[in-house]
Amino acid sequence: MDEDGTRKHLQATIIVVVNAAASTSFDECYECALKVNALSAQATAELAASCEHLDCLVHVSTAYTGANLNLEGMVPEQLHGYALNCGTGSGNGSGQSKVPHSADTFSVAEEVDLTLRARASGASDEDSKQLGITRARELRYLETYTLTKSMGEMLVSQVARKARIPTAIIRPNIVEGTWEESIPGWIEGNKSADPIITLYGRGQIPGFPFKSPESVLDSIPVDFVSRAMVAAIWSAASQDSDAGSTPRIYHVSSSSTQNPMTMGMFAKGVR
């Protein structure tokens, strides 16, 4: 089956679309992070919107998409009030995006154009990484990852509203090994806190870098996240048509006031 035939087959048969693809590197090349975390999320949402029998779209984001907003206390499960000047057509070429707060906007298209111009001028991968970090800090994000994941939320919600498709956005915090399913402690790859644990186990670092043992560690078992995704599919698919244009937001994290994990608990468990 050719590409066009495959797409038509998907559009005729798919009922649920789950987008969990992402680059989780904090210092990814800027154009790569934009493609994976923002533009591919938009393309997936557009494919979902074209499916004839779609029940819902679920997009896996991150708990830190609002990192530039200086939120305190309990963070509401809602879109962060992003300014949606984020089309991905041709930008104005200025590369001068505004800080995304109050009534200001910034354009994903301009950010893409910025990376293309940088490559055209001979920028290396290292230059592109630095560009991402610079842009993130200018836009008040922690790093390239949270900036581009925020863009992904913007674009997915924009498509969902325009196409009026039932959508859920999942915001986990630091995803770690399983609690119990399929086997306790399973995780694929060396992710999140794993490098620190590995270095400690090898004797390459003497301890764990935290200021206070009472500091809260934002970590969640991956099977908790997968269960939340399944529940979100049912919830989003159960929305009536009038609610379909507003994505439902679900935070999946452990840093609440009810049962947080502290750095001291983490260090004790590893030791």
Side-chain angles (χ1 to χ4, degrees):
M1 187 180 295
D2 60 18
E3 182 178 341
D4 186 55
T6 299
R7 185 178 185 87
K8 289 181 179 178
H9 175 71
L10 294 175
Q11 291 170 325
T13 58
I14 285 178
I15 59 173
V16 174
V17 174
V18 177
N19 178 43
S23 169
T24 58
S25 174
F26 290 165
D27 61 348
E28 179 68 88
C29 292
Y30 195 27
E31 73 267 31
C32 295
L34 278 169
K35 288 177 181 177
V36 176
N37 294 339
L39 301 184
S40 70
Q42 180 189 35
T44 302
E46 289 173 343
L47 173 63
S50 71
C51 292
E52 300 170 15
H53 307 290
L54 185 77
D55 284 337
C56 71
L57 163 67
V58 174
H59 172 66
V60 181
S61 185
T62 173
Y64 307 109
T65 52
N68 66 318
L69 302 177
N70 296 318
L71 300 172
E72 296 182 0
M74 196 70 70
V75 178
E77 291 181 313
Q78 61 188 37
L79 292 171
H80 292 309
Y82 302 120
L84 292 178
N85 178 21
C86 56
T88 53
S90 176
N92 62 21
S94 70
Q96 299 300 313
S97 301
K98 299 178 181 179
V99 176
H101 67 93
S102 301
D104 290 345
T105 63
F106 75 100
S107 167
V108 175
E110 290 182 3
E111 296 303 308
V112 172
D113 286 348
L114 186 62
T115 66
L116 294 175
R117 290 199 306 275
R119 283 298 189 184
S121 66
S124 64
D125 285 350
E126 194 59 39
D127 293 331
S128 181
K129 289 182 179 182
Q130 189 56 52
L131 175 62
I133 294 171
T134 299
R135 291 300 294 144
R137 291 174 179 171
E138 289 175 349
L139 297 170
R140 300 193 303 159
Y141 284 87
L142 297 175
E143 22 43 26
T144 309
Y145 170 67
T146 50
L147 169 60
T148 54
K149 288 295 285 185
S150 293
M151 292 179 183
E153 276 197 10
M154 297 178 200
L155 296 172
V156 167
S157 62
Q158 193 176 56
V159 173
R161 285 170 166 164
K162 183 177 180 179
R164 300 191 63 77
I165 55 176
T167 302
I169 295 177
I170 305 293
R171 289 182 182 152
N173 51 14
I174 301 171
V175 180
E176 283 290 356
T178 56
W179 175 253
E180 57 182 5
E181 295 177 346
S182 56
I183 57 174
W186 175 88
I187 191 171
E188 187 173 324
N190 196 30
K191 307 179 186 301
S192 302
D194 297 344
I196 297 176
I197 296 172
T198 301
L199 291 172
Y200 178 77
R202 291 174 176 173
Q204 294 176 265
I205 59 173
F208 301 98
F210 57 84
K211 294 181 179 180
S212 167
E214 300 305 315
S215 299
V216 173
L217 175 64
D218 279 336
S219 180
I220 192 76
V222 65
D223 48 337
F224 283 31
V225 180
S226 61
R227 291 172 187 174
M229 290 167 62
V230 172
I233 289 172
W234 177 87
S235 177
S238 300
Q239 295 182 68
D240 58 46
S241 58
D242 291 337
S245 61
T246 302
R248 294 189 175 190
I249 311 295
Y250 298 97
H251 292 170
V252 187
S253 63
S254 60
S255 57
S256 70
T257 57
Q258 296 180 358
N259 189 31
M261 174 185 285
T262 65
M263 291 299 298
M265 293 166 60
F266 168 76
K268 183 179 179 180
V270 173
R271 292 177 182 142

